[in-house]
Every structure is written in structure tokens, then in C-alpha cells.
Amino acid sequence: MKLEKYAKKVPGKRKGDILLFALSTCGWCRKTKNLLDTLGVGYRYIDVDLLDGEARNEVMAELDRWNKAHSFPSVVIDDDRCIVGFQEDKITQAVGGGKN
Amino acid sequence: MERTEVGDKAVDALYQRLNREAEEGGYHLNPDVGFTKDLVRSLLVNEKRYGYWACPCRLASGVKEDDLDIICPCDYRDADVDEYGGCYCALYVSTEVLEGKKVAGPIPERRPPEQERKRLKEEASKLKAKGAAQPVSLPVWRCTVCGYLCARDGPSEICPVCKAKKDRFEKFIDVGAAFSVTVPVWHCRVCGYLCARNEPPEVCPICKAKKDRFERFL
């Protein structure tokens, strides 16, 4: 899995590879984490503001592939698609809220 | 970068101050107090980290000169409050949101990407280097009630001086007009405040932005 060494794991139902690019200070990022927690899905997240130097560059280079605006939160699902911003309905739908 | 902790007392004190200053200047903090206090806490975290209130919802570079436009209140607040009812992080909201007629949701990023910001900056410095009298780059709005003037895309939602509503403003000067002035006119990039004096003020009397957020207007 990409960026393994920087990502924190939150255990939960397996709904594919969910990687959240976030900022530890951001209100919308917090809401996104809370949503994923409530849905009970397993995911990984990276608080990019807590990284410096090379680590930050590496993570931002990956985020750039998905979201040229480099904005947060960005949720990358199965290394295939990205939801930018706290779009509650889209995130819920994409990570299959409900069915196991 | 270490995780930074900030005490509740400091958060409450800054929340009270920002709320008072916002109301005095014709702005409103988000009425979701829990959400808002989390943002205020993040401002204090960023103050400890970087030395200034970088927007909690944007990745600061740590180089103040490059982050000036996202120091809270950011250069994009007023346009976002006007268009979406809230700023990017939703610390500041419109009257409609304050009154519960509308909800402040997540909005698209108005700040141009890094490359574009660099290009715009270079363009601006080239223009400055030419030294020629520049035409007005933003419309100037006049509060017809008290005479307050500000340069921004649209009028203030509430006049910061007399509290008249937006519909009491009229367009006073249009983009492109050229003037010769006896004293430089400075423009606050955050709230649009204008003043004619040799140097910009230390602090914007309307929105409390610091001197480095002012640019030469005329």
C-alpha cells in the first residue's frame, strides 16, 4: 500500500482501501474522520500538516495525482478515485455505508 | 512537526475576542460554537507552529510571505461568505447562516494553486516595477448611508461603520478608472478598507488585519 509509513490505521469493516489526506487542524477533515468512524469502516489517514520536509513532499506528490488544488480533506478510494471535500453523501455511498 | 496542545482558557478568550471584533466589523462567526471553538483552537495551534494564524483548513508552507493570503481572516473570506454563506473553513458566515436560514457547508477552494499564485505575484511585481499610474483594479463601493468606501468585488454584507445592509451600497468607482493622487491610497486585501496616507496602518481598523496585508491601490 502506498505511503504506508506515514499513514495511521483505523480498524473497521473492510470496504476497500480508503486513504484520507487530512490536516490535524481542519474542521472538515475532523468531520470526515468522524463520518468514517461512524460508518465503522477501516481506513488510513495522513495528517499532512504534521509532516515536514521530504515526508511532506512525498505525500503531496501523491495527493497531486488526485487533486491538483491540494485541498483537504481528500479521500482516495481503492487507488482509483478521489472525493474532494467533506461530501457526506458521496463518501458514505463510495465506502458502501450499510452493506457489509 | 509535533502535535501542539492549546488550553481551553486561551481558546475561550480568543473566541470571545474574535466574536466581538467580527460583530463590530459587520461579520459573524459560525453559530455552531463547538465547531467554531475547534477552529479557534487550530488558529492558536498554528500560531505556536508558524507564528501566525494560518488557515486551519489549508496546508501552510511555514514561510510567512507565501502564506500571507491564508492568514485568518484570509484574502478569500469575503468573496466566499458572499457566494456560499461561509468562508473556506467556515469560521466566518453570512447573516443568513447566522440566522439559521442557510447552512454553511464545505465549499470549493478559491485560492489559486501554487504555480498560479507564483505567476500572479510575478505579474504584479512587474507592473509595480514599471512605476506607471495604475488604473483601479477593483470596483470601489460607497455606503450611501454613512459614506464608507471600500474596494472589493462586491459591497460588504454589512457596512462596518454604520451597519447598513449591502443593498445600501452603490458602485462609486468602476474598474479601469485612472487617478492621480497626492498621497498613496492603500487597500486592505482582507476587507477592502481604503485609506490615503504615506504608509499603510499597523492594523486595519475594520478587520484587524496587519500592515503586511495592505497593498498600494492608487
Side-chain angles (χ1 to χ4, degrees), chain A residues 8 23-28 30-31 45 47-52 56 60 68-69 71-72 85-87, chain B residues 1-3 35 38-39 42 45-46 49-50 56-61 88-90 104-106 109 113:
Chain A
K8 291 201 176 98
L23 300 176
S24 68
T25 48
C26 169
W28 300 115
R30 197 170 298 123
K31 279 186 187 276
Y45 71 91
D47 282 332
V48 186
D49 59 320
L50 299 178
L51 300 175
D52 292 311
R56 184 186 280 198
M60 290 308 286
K68 296 288 176 207
S71 58
F72 302 89
F86 175 63
Q87 301 190 59
Chain B
M1 188 84 63
E2 291 295 309
R3 198 170 273 277
F35 182 83
D38 276 341
L39 289 171
S42 293
V45 167
N46 282 347
R49 275 185 193 163
Y50 308 116
C57 294
R58 292 176 168 116
L59 185 61
S61 69
Y88 188 63
C89 71
E109 172 61 295

Side-chain angles (χ1 to χ4, degrees), chain B residues 44-87:
Chain B
L44 290 169
V45 167
N46 282 347
E47 183 176 2
K48 280 192 181 177
R49 275 185 193 163
Y50 308 116
Y52 46 87
W53 292 346
C55 172
C57 294
R58 292 176 168 116
L59 185 61
S61 69
V63 179
K64 191 175 181 185
E65 201 196 332
D66 296 335
D67 291 339
L68 273 181
D69 61 324
I70 54 164
I71 294 178
C72 185
C74 66
D75 285 11
Y76 314 101
R77 172 188 66 175
D78 289 20
D80 281 336
V81 168
D82 194 43
E83 185 170 351
Y84 301 109
C87 69

Side-chain angles (χ1 to χ4, degrees), chain B residues 92-112:
Chain B
Y92 290 94
V93 300
S94 66
T95 305
E96 262 192 327
V97 170
L98 180 77
E99 290 171 352
K101 292 176 188 156
K102 196 177 161 184
V103 175
I107 64 169
E109 172 61 295
R110 185 179 295 271
R111 185 191 202 201

